[in-house]
């Protein structure tokens, strides 16, 4: 689960201009981020992540209706196991709900993370933004996640970017999975606290 400090930093960043924000880098670094280098490690971590099961009745229709207004953008890197998994999941999301999905570079992701007061933790990071406004962004996942959780987070991000209180949206956006690509083999996954 994503730690409360990172949720607070994201909620604060949606509501307050970047120049007025205090540095939250140290608190964000304490988030539960685990590098994975193999599909086995990634699947082991994902097996621990709860899957969203309850959705509002208009969930699918709402996501399809939002497709012309929002886009999902993701960083990626060669050999990044969670990137490959996230791309497959986002391709299914695009086919089901009609949203645009595109890649952004590491430099753009670094700038976005900096504007939100978050540290760069590695690939992938998945963002939602209005198509018409590249400066309004909400990160919806650090690493990969279950299909249902990615859909839930995209729906909540779109609602937050459309006027839903960031605090309300982030309470519902319970976590970012926290799986990031590793350059070498990953350490064993620590026991959940």
């Amino acid at each position: 689960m994503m730690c409360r400090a990172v949720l607070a930093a994201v909620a604060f960043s949606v509501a307050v201009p970047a120049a007025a924000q205090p540095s939250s880098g140290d608190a964000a670094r304490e988030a539960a981020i685990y590098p994975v280098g193999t599909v086995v490690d990634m699947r082991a971590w994902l097996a621990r992540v709860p899957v969203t099961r309850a959705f509002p009745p208009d969930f699918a229709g709402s996501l399809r209706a939002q497709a012309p207004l929002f886009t999902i953008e993701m960083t990626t890197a060669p050999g990044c196991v969670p990137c490959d998994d996230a791309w497959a999941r986002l391709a299914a999301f695009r086919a089901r709900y009609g949203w645009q999905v595109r890649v952004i570079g590491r430099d753009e992701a670094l700038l976005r993370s900096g504007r939100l007061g978050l540290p760069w933790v590695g690939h992938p990071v998945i963002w939602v933004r209005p198509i018409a406004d590249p400066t309004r962004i909400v990160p919806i996942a650090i690493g990969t996640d279950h299909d249902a959780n990615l859909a839930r987070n995209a729906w909540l991000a779109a609602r937050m970017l459309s006027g839903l209180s960031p605090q309300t949206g982030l309470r519902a956006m319970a976590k970012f999975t926290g799986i990031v690509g590793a350059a070498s083999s990953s350490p064993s996954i620590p026991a959940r606290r």
Side-chain angles (χ1 to χ4, degrees):
M1 277 192 144
M2 182 179 175
C3 79
R4 293 185 197 281
V6 176
L7 284 174
V10 174
F12 191 69
S13 67
V14 171
V16 178
Q21 296 175 33
S23 172
S24 60
D26 291 338
R29 280 184 199 89
E30 295 172 7
I33 305 298
Y34 297 100
V36 295
T38 69
V39 172
V40 172
D41 284 346
M42 183 190 65
R43 286 187 181 149
W45 180 253
L46 272 177
R48 302 164 151 227
V49 176
V51 179
T52 301
R53 302 209 186 277
F55 294 97
D58 67 338
F59 180 79
S62 176
L63 271 174
R64 281 191 285 278
Q66 294 166 333
L69 305 173
F70 296 95
T71 186
I72 293 180
E73 298 173 327
M74 185 180 117
T75 64
T76 193
C80 170
V81 173
C83 296
D84 293 344
D85 187 74
W87 277 121
R89 293 173 189 280
L90 291 177
F93 179 88
R94 180 182 62 222
R96 184 169 186 184
Y97 300 111
W99 284 43
Q100 295 177 31
V101 177
R102 70 179 203 92
V103 67
I104 61 169
R106 183 177 187 273
D107 291 342
E108 174 64 19
L110 283 167
L111 288 172
R112 289 179 180 192
S113 294
R115 278 191 301 223
L116 294 178
L118 299 172
W120 174 250
V121 294
H123 299 286
V125 178
I126 305 171
W127 309 84
V128 168
R129 74 166 178 86
I131 290 173
D133 188 352
T135 62
R136 296 182 60 227
I137 53 173
V138 174
I140 64 166
I142 299 171
T144 193
D145 203 336
H146 299 290
D147 296 329
N149 296 352
L150 288 172
R152 173 205 63 207
N153 289 355
W155 181 77
L156 287 166
R159 293 194 65 207
M160 288 167 45
L161 291 163
S162 300
L164 177 72
S165 154
Q167 292 78 11
T168 301
L170 289 169
R171 274 194 303 272
M173 193 184 294
K175 54 122 192 87
F176 294 176
T177 301
I179 300 173
V180 296
S184 59
S185 63
S186 79
S188 62
I189 297 171
R192 191 174 210 181
R193 294 180 212 184

